[in-house]
Amino acid sequence: MGCPASPGNKYDEKKLQEQQETQQDIDHSKLLPIPAPPHHSYFGLLGHSPDLDSTLPVKSYWKFMDEYAPIYQLDLAMEHPRVFVGSRELVNEMADDSTYIKFTHRLHQEMRPVFGDGLFSAESTDKAWWKAHRLLVPAFGPIGLSKMFDDMQDLSAQLVLKWDRFGPEHEIECIEDMARLTFDTIGLCAFGYRFNEFYSKEPHPFMKQLKESIVESGKRANRPDIVNLAYYRDEQHRRDNIKNMRELCMKIIKDRDEHPKPDAKDLLNVMLNGVDKETGEKLGVDNVIYQIPTLLGGGYETTGATLCFIYYFLCNNPDKLAKAQQEVDQIVGDKVLTYDMLRNLKYLDACMKEALRLQHPVSLLTRFAIKDTVLGGKYFIKKGQMVSGIWRHFHRDPKVWGEDADEFRPERMLDVNFKELPPNSWKPFGDGLRACIGRGFAEQEILIHIAMALQKFDVEKVDPNYEMQLTGQMGVKPVNFKIRVRRRADRSLNVGIPGGARQEHEKARQTQQQAQHSHQNGVSATYEVKKPVSVFFGGNMGTSESLVQALERSAPTYGLELIDNQDLDTATKNKTLPTDRPTVIIIPSYEGRPPDNAKKFVSWIEQLASKGERLPPGTKFAVFGVGNSDWTHTFHKVPKLVDQTLEQLGAERIMEAGFANVKRDLVGPWESWSEKLCMTLSGITNPTNPDRVGVDVRIEKNNLTTLPQALGGEQMAVGVVTANRELADTSVGAAKRHVEVRLPAGSEYKSGDYLIVQGRNPDETVFRVMKRFDLGAEDVMTVQSSKKEFIPSQPMAVEHFLRSGVELAQPITKRQLATLASWAKEASAERTQLEKMHDDTEYQQLLDKRYSVIDILEEVPGLPLPFGVYIDLLLPLSPRLYSISSSPIESINKSKGCPVVSLTFDLFEEPAKSGHGTFRGVASSYLANRIPGDCIPCLVRPTKVPFRLPPDTKTPVIMLAAGTGIAPMRAFIQERAAIKRAGERKLGPALLFFGCRHPDKDFLYRAELAAWESEGVVEVIPCFSKPDGANKGRHVPDALWEHRERVWELFREGANIYTCGSAARLGSSSAAMWRRIYGEKMGKSEVEAYEWLDRIKNERYISDVW
């Protein structure tokens, strides 16, 4: 989410060393030593490195595995011996992310001068890696690949024509032509640059430079550092090659910059112009320069070698070659290959998979142990030790593939057989977060070329007795493998070559059909704009903004246009409201106070009313209020004030104000009120173009993990988790945790500020939805018909969208119930069941138990609801707000020159009230499962109320907190401790009334508080509500009353009062106790006490409650 964008754990070697893991108990007496071959050179002083084949190191790995299978280890000048495994069973254990993880190692580090911070060599924790990953993975999805099809086909056609032109006796050096094809294909599809490999005798200089750089980097990775010093001339040559490659990369970028191609279908536009939604940043030119050789180097040699291996195995098995050619004849015939035909070439696809099984173009699948563990039940693996699966061996494991594992039999890769394979039997594209993102690109390129070649030619080996010979450092490729092709008797020169009149006619017909389809589905529908409307909002949490967005989507169906959408303070800075159009105001109430971005507006209209002034004629308004019923005395106070004051000022009320209680149901009342509003403003009771519920979703079965992330409102930054520990378990309530986050360089915060965190929906909920709609973990969705910004218009992994894009656990609304009922058949059991839920009594029970849409769908399993309708019912996933529990002036709250914030929070995990699974907090469960090194999307939000320590440090402070409400108080106390240690300013007295349940089970930060108390920074008055034994429990208000003489004296001396905790419990009960104390000390009535507390709120009585 990675950063968050993903999911999964990210490590680098340093973090691996720092990560504190609880080691499992291992009985070493039952373990076997991992075998190792003897040293044969330099008495073993340089380890096994000199014993490896210098031309083909993996050949030595294969030899050792044949001798020591299924496991052995080599001394390769690392901290621990490198372990190699060769069975599917051991590789399957390696795939356990809780024990092994993949990150960059020596090979990647040696490749860094070539590929920089490109996707191959950058750390998974690097910001640059995540930005590129999020931008490029969708580009390699089904939609992106379909756009690249024509260019891929163009280059394959060039090669087919070249082979045809040279005739049947021409000997084709397979790896040379395949490398040129794949190099040219990546250049054109990725960067819009033609290397024109088929029009020159020698390969393009860039290809030669890249190949030499990769080979030398691979050699350096296999040599000890001290030995590499002797190869200084080779290193200088590598640097010269890198310099020359960089110059061409800069030229490619400069050409696109000076001659933009906005309609280009390549990746260069994405890399230069794409904005990462998580960071709001572009890749930057320097990063793009490194991505060019990364994409070329990572794709052209491996794909070229794979094409050679396919030809080799097909030529060695004429019956399989005939079967593949027969399939091409049936699917393609004498037509031009189309994108839609590729998915039907199932046997050809099986041939490709089988070739990758028998001879992989790369050597090893590598992971690292993140804790001491046992592999295979008998081999000890140390934390940090590298373990590599040898593809050649575990892809030929006879326990999986049978006694004919060494034979080329594509039938084992057909759908039915392929799906029955044990987990991790076939892994040619790697796994996890750093799996090959170009898998779809390579597969499409391979199928296009082989299909076009078999359509046109009969293929054979030049030397019938040729046996595969290999070379390579980082990867492997065949040597001296040559083929001949002969045009088939019934094939003319231009058969299968794109560009003929017949193909253009077919494309025109398809385009016309697509246009008709779009019109029929309402994609091109337009609305006549009849009336402009202004919408002004206030709010600190983004709730009001989400309602504005909902109105923006629904208003056009009534002929309304929202032409003005601003917060209230900005909209009314000129001290006026529009008179030429109606104004809709959406505003909440926070403890009876206006939100931060509406304070000026409320003050302005109150001043006008106090002066008896009037708003200009023509001012029309409607108010919708949001509030929390926990604040009984101030519930909807501000919306009601605005509604009444605007009427008092002479403005015309369009309709009665609407109100929602976020504690119960926000969306239902809003939907009803906003629908009436639109009908009132437009005069339309039955809109001519009503918004349908549901969007057109196309699900593609794919092997992508896409990580785009859309965050509404303020732009998120990326923080790095540096610590995560449990403060209290669940023995006396919700578990409580402490998490520390390193903010990006340049970030700032103050004690009393908040950290906004964009959470993720829990796995259980996401998987429930995917199971309900029969979706796979690797499926990709594309939506083209939605007006909602949070529903992606670009390809996105379904699982990622459900995890990070929408609210899955929000209580269901009546309108949502009605939509579900509309999809049930008339008089069906499902229809009856859903309509019964719509009854007020039944619906209130659903709200009480917090039934979500997915909960209802699981109770009505027979409802045929499309996935597109389901996601269109949902709200965007909102970020959550946490009080920061640290002070920036404390020296320990800095890391690598960046500020560190700490968060203190309850982990919400309990059986769902609906009875469906477990309820887990979106943000709290997400944070609780982060480990040091994980990135999270977050943002500091300064407090706009005076929830700060007094500027004069001698001012007394009274703090009231319960549970994790200690967070801002800890920040204050930590800051006071730092001030005291500095010795420059004197501190006034500070009291902390801290509510916990039990002194030994949830007394958060007990040791810290005791230390600060001994230093004279604070006096702590703990209040335990559920102590053991005969001790009577007490709450914070009880202790406040017991100490009323003292706290009142401090208040009279100018003390500020701070409260943090639950609004319904600590917030209201503490306020009541302060009113009681005031009444006793001043001899005032209850009404007068209310007025007193209201006067000092946000000045000397400051609350941060939820």
Side-chain angles (χ1 to χ4, degrees), residues 401-460:
W401 306 102
E403 295 304 316
D404 64 345
D406 292 333
E407 296 179 13
F408 181 76
R409 187 164 62 82
E411 288 74 13
R412 69 173 109 233
M413 293 295 183
L414 292 174
D415 285 347
V416 175
N417 298 325
F418 189 71
K419 291 177 180 178
E420 293 178 353
L421 291 174
N424 298 302
S425 299
W426 187 80
K427 297 172 71 70
F429 294 95
D431 64 356
L433 196 62
R434 296 187 73 98
C436 175
I437 68 169
R439 172 178 178 172
F441 185 98
E443 291 177 332
Q444 178 169 300
E445 182 183 5
I446 289 169
L447 290 176
I448 288 173
H449 169 73
I450 298 292
M452 292 181 71
L454 297 186
Q455 179 192 31
K456 191 74 165 285
F457 304 114
D458 291 319
V459 186
E460 64 180 10

Side-chain angles (χ1 to χ4, degrees), residues 502-518:
R502 177 178 176 182
Q503 186 190 25
E504 294 302 317
H505 174 75
E506 179 65 18
K507 282 188 176 181
R509 184 183 65 80
Q510 291 176 355
T511 301
Q512 183 178 10
Q513 288 179 345
Q514 290 170 356
Q516 292 173 350
H517 176 77
S518 297

Side-chain angles (χ1 to χ4, degrees), residues 79-111:
E79 182 179 358
H80 306 295
R82 184 173 184 177
V83 176
F84 297 81
V85 299
S87 70
R88 197 286 313 181
E89 182 180 3
L90 296 182
V91 169
N92 188 53
E93 288 192 32
M94 281 174 56
D96 181 2
D97 288 337
S98 67
T99 309
Y100 299 91
I101 204 72
K102 182 174 181 179
F103 52 79
T104 60
H105 50 85
R106 183 177 175 86
L107 176 61
H108 299 84
Q109 293 158 7
E110 291 295 344
M111 291 291 175

Side-chain angles (χ1 to χ4, degrees), residues 20 24 48 117 138 211 222 312 325 353 367 381 476 558 646 664 904 953 979 1014 1018 1047 1067 1102:
Q20 298 299 314
Q24 55 180 294
H48 288 100
D117 58 356
K211 183 187 300 184
N222 284 316
Y312 174 80
Q325 196 167 51
K353 288 186 170 75
R367 286 186 150 217
I381 304 295
V476 295
Y558 292 87
L646 289 177
R664 304 292 291 175
T904 308
T953 59
I979 292 171
S1014 67
V1018 67
V1047 296
I1102 308 106

Side-chain angles (χ1 to χ4, degrees), residues 55-287:
T55 304
L56 185 65
V58 71
K59 184 178 179 181
S60 301
Y61 301 154
W62 296 342
K63 175 179 174 293
F64 293 144
M65 187 56 69
D66 288 340
E67 184 175 352
Y68 297 103
I71 188 171
Y72 66 87
Q73 63 183 11
L74 297 178
D75 176 8
L76 297 177
M78 299 177 181
E79 182 179 358
H80 306 295
R82 184 173 184 177
V83 176
F84 297 81
V85 299
S87 70
R88 197 286 313 181
E89 182 180 3
L90 296 182
V91 169
N92 188 53
E93 288 192 32
M94 281 174 56
D96 181 2
D97 288 337
S98 67
T99 309
Y100 299 91
I101 204 72
K102 182 174 181 179
F103 52 79
T104 60
H105 50 85
R106 183 177 175 86
L107 176 61
H108 299 84
Q109 293 158 7
E110 291 295 344
M111 291 291 175
R112 186 101 182 176
V114 184
F115 300 132
D117 58 356
L119 281 171
F120 177 78
S121 52
E123 297 286 358
S124 303
T125 50
D126 284 358
K127 183 179 180 181
W129 187 91
W130 276 103
K131 288 196 297 183
H133 198 263
R134 284 189 291 264
L135 283 172
L136 290 176
V137 168
F140 282 113
I143 302 301
L145 291 176
S146 68
K147 295 176 181 178
M148 298 177 192
F149 177 85
D150 289 345
D151 285 340
M152 288 185 178
Q153 188 180 45
D154 172 21
L155 293 167
S156 279
Q158 288 184 30
L159 182 57
V160 167
L161 289 171
K162 172 189 171 183
W163 285 356
D164 201 13
R165 186 170 65 252
F166 281 8
E169 299 305 317
H170 175 65
E171 295 184 0
I172 299 168
E173 179 66 62
C174 199
I175 190 59
E176 181 178 326
D177 272 10
M178 294 303 98
R180 290 184 180 221
L181 170 65
T182 55
F183 198 81
D184 238 358
T185 300
I186 296 172
L188 183 58
C189 294
F191 321 118
Y193 188 85
R194 289 186 181 270
F195 289 100
N196 288 322
E197 289 290 336
F198 300 129
Y199 296 95
S200 60
K201 185 175 181 180
E202 296 296 325
H204 193 283
F206 193 101
M207 178 193 283
K208 183 173 181 291
Q209 294 155 5
L210 181 59
K211 183 187 300 184
E212 291 177 350
S213 299
I214 291 173
V215 169
E216 179 57 27
S217 298
K219 289 180 177 179
R220 290 179 62 82
N222 284 316
R223 295 190 297 244
D225 290 336
I226 192 171
V227 176
N228 277 328
L229 296 175
Y231 290 84
Y232 61 90
R233 289 192 178 89
D234 302 71
E235 173 60 10
Q236 185 58 52
H237 183 62
R238 183 175 76 141
R239 293 182 181 181
D240 291 341
N241 280 334
I242 292 170
K243 177 177 176 291
N244 293 330
M245 287 190 294
R246 187 175 177 87
E247 289 175 354
L248 179 59
C249 294
M250 293 173 68
K251 178 182 181 299
I252 291 172
I253 293 171
K254 183 179 179 183
D255 287 347
R256 180 60 59 88
D257 186 51
E258 294 177 351
H259 306 94
K261 298 179 180 178
D263 297 327
K265 301 172 183 176
D266 56 35
L267 301 180
L268 189 58
N269 274 354
V270 175
M271 292 191 291
L272 288 176
N273 305 318
V275 177
D276 174 36
K277 291 183 177 180
E278 183 121 345
T279 63
E281 299 172 358
K282 296 183 178 181
L283 291 185
V285 171
D286 284 343
N287 185 261

Side-chain angles (χ1 to χ4, degrees), residues 624-646:
F624 186 82
V626 180
N628 187 324
S629 58
D630 283 343
W631 293 98
T632 309
H633 297 286
T634 58
F635 188 41
H636 292 139
K637 177 179 177 180
V638 173
K640 292 176 180 177
L641 170 69
V642 170
D643 183 65
Q644 295 165 4
T645 304
L646 289 177

Side-chain angles (χ1 to χ4, degrees), residues 488-690:
R488 297 166 67 184
D490 58 345
R491 297 294 190 253
S492 64
L493 176 65
N494 291 317
V495 164
I497 303 301
R502 177 178 176 182
Q503 186 190 25
E504 294 302 317
H505 174 75
E506 179 65 18
K507 282 188 176 181
R509 184 183 65 80
Q510 291 176 355
T511 301
Q512 183 178 10
Q513 288 179 345
Q514 290 170 356
Q516 292 173 350
H517 176 77
S518 297
H519 181 75
Q520 291 166 359
N521 281 278
V523 175
S524 60
T526 59
Y527 302 94
E528 179 185 355
V529 178
K530 294 180 180 179
K531 194 170 186 177
V533 180
S534 290
V535 181
F536 303 148
F537 64 89
N540 298 340
M541 307 295 290
T543 304
S544 297
E545 291 172 85
S546 69
L547 300 183
V548 174
Q549 293 171 5
L551 188 59
E552 282 182 319
R553 295 189 293 269
S554 61
T557 65
Y558 292 87
L560 303 173
E561 181 185 20
L562 274 59
I563 64 171
D564 206 4
N565 173 1
Q566 303 179 70
D567 68 72
L568 279 159
D569 283 353
T570 301
T572 57
K573 61 184 177 181
N574 295 324
K575 308 297 184 183
T576 185
L577 289 172
T579 57
D580 58 344
R581 57 187 181 273
T583 297
V584 177
I585 294 173
I586 304 172
I587 187 169
S589 182
Y590 295 112
E591 302 179 51
R593 300 284 177 173
D596 298 335
N597 53 3
K599 289 179 178 177
K600 295 178 182 178
F601 166 75
V602 172
S603 176
W604 169 59
I605 61 173
E606 283 185 316
Q607 288 177 10
L608 288 181
S610 67
K611 296 176 183 177
E613 298 185 13
R614 309 276 287 181
L615 290 171
T619 305
K620 300 179 181 180
F621 74 95
V623 173
F624 186 82
V626 180
N628 187 324
S629 58
D630 283 343
W631 293 98
T632 309
H633 297 286
T634 58
F635 188 41
H636 292 139
K637 177 179 177 180
V638 173
K640 292 176 180 177
L641 170 69
V642 170
D643 183 65
Q644 295 165 4
T645 304
L646 289 177
E647 183 184 38
Q648 181 183 342
L649 294 174
E652 179 185 345
R653 184 186 286 114
I654 299 168
M655 59 181 286
E656 290 299 315
F659 301 99
N661 180 4
V662 296
K663 197 75 174 178
R664 304 292 291 175
D665 181 16
L666 167 67
V667 179
W670 163 256
E671 288 177 342
S672 299
W673 185 85
S674 61
E675 183 177 52
K676 293 177 183 177
L677 172 73
C678 290
M679 289 191 293
T680 300
L681 292 177
S682 64
I684 297 173
T685 55
N686 292 303
T688 55
N689 292 306

